[in-house]
Amino acid sequence: MTATLRHLFALATCALLLGGCASTPPSIARYDFGPLPAATLSSKIGTLIVADITGPSALDTEHMQYRLLYADARQARPYAYNQWAATPFQLLGQRLRTNFAQAGVKVLSTTDAITNPTVLRIEVNEFGQNFTSASSSHGVLNVRASLFRNHRLLDQRTFQRSVAATTPDAAGGAQALAEASDALTADLLTWLASVAQP
């Protein structure tokens, strides 16, 4: 191979390498709710079955969604390079169960055998980051909670929490929704304690 050919080959190799670098997409950042807050809640609810959380199919995905209320409130938009580590239903369910257990509730699943079971079912109505301006957003969580005993409805309530994001991006939205989920735990525990226990 002559010096000229070697030179051309080296240039072609560099061009291919640089082209490959330029076409590499940014890595995906994955968020969860982070560490649990310090234990401050205490409950004497006893034993509770927490069913798997349900909701609209649009939320049954790892995509992080936001709405621009000042532009088009009816359009949910996904972040391009940011995702949840699991679906919002899975993240919220795990967070609630862990917070309940930390508060002293004996948390069981729907497959556990128990006499006179008390079952909490939660359906998510809204879970996302809403921007009121380009620099201001809130993590909004809205759920309908239903409490059953022996397949009979004891009570049903709708809960909503809205927490301001510290930054107008996916990281701020993840932080706000984690705090909204923890606040929702306190709301649910207060409500559950007000419903007659066996």
Side-chain angles (χ1 to χ4, degrees):
M1 183 180 290
T2 66
T4 302
L5 287 176
R6 281 197 301 271
H7 182 68
L8 289 174
F9 181 76
L11 287 174
T13 302
C14 288
L16 285 173
L17 289 173
L18 290 173
C21 291
S23 64
T24 302
S27 60
I28 301 295
R30 299 187 183 276
Y31 293 91
D32 56 26
F33 286 168
L36 282 170
T40 57
L41 302 173
S42 179
S43 175
K44 297 181 180 179
I45 293 171
T47 302
L48 181 68
I49 292 176
V50 179
D52 289 340
I53 292 178
T54 61
S57 59
L59 290 176
D60 195 13
T61 173
E62 288 84 12
H63 293 303
M64 297 184 75
Q65 299 183 12
Y66 65 94
R67 291 180 187 270
L68 303 179
L69 300 185
Y70 59 90
D72 187 354
R74 291 176 296 278
Q75 183 179 6
R77 307 162 190 256
Y79 277 104
Y81 302 112
N82 301 276
Q83 292 186 354
W84 291 113
T87 70
F89 303 151
Q90 293 168 330
L91 289 172
L92 181 59
Q94 183 59 42
R95 191 69 160 198
L96 288 178
R97 290 183 183 95
T98 305
N99 275 327
F100 283 174
Q102 194 176 54
V105 180
K106 295 178 178 63
V107 180
L108 302 178
S109 71
T110 52
T111 58
D112 292 323
I114 181 175
T115 303
N116 300 324
T118 302
V119 180
L120 175 64
R121 297 188 183 278
I122 294 178
E123 181 178 358
V124 176
N125 299 316
E126 185 176 3
F127 181 100
Q129 184 178 9
N130 291 344
F131 282 83
T132 53
S133 71
S135 60
S136 177
S137 68
H138 288 73
V140 179
L141 176 59
N142 181 291
V143 306
R144 181 170 62 248
S146 304
L147 191 66
F148 296 85
R149 184 174 302 128
N150 293 329
H151 308 290
R152 296 182 61 184
L153 180 65
L154 293 180
D155 199 6
Q156 184 179 82
R157 281 190 58 184
T158 297
F159 297 88
Q160 177 160 320
R161 280 290 183 159
S162 177
V163 175
T166 55
T167 55
D169 52 18
Q175 161 262 324
L177 283 162
E179 291 183 17
S181 299
D182 292 332
L184 184 73
T185 299
D187 296 339
L188 287 169
L189 286 173
T190 299
W191 169 62
L192 291 169
S194 71
V195 180
Q197 298 295 308

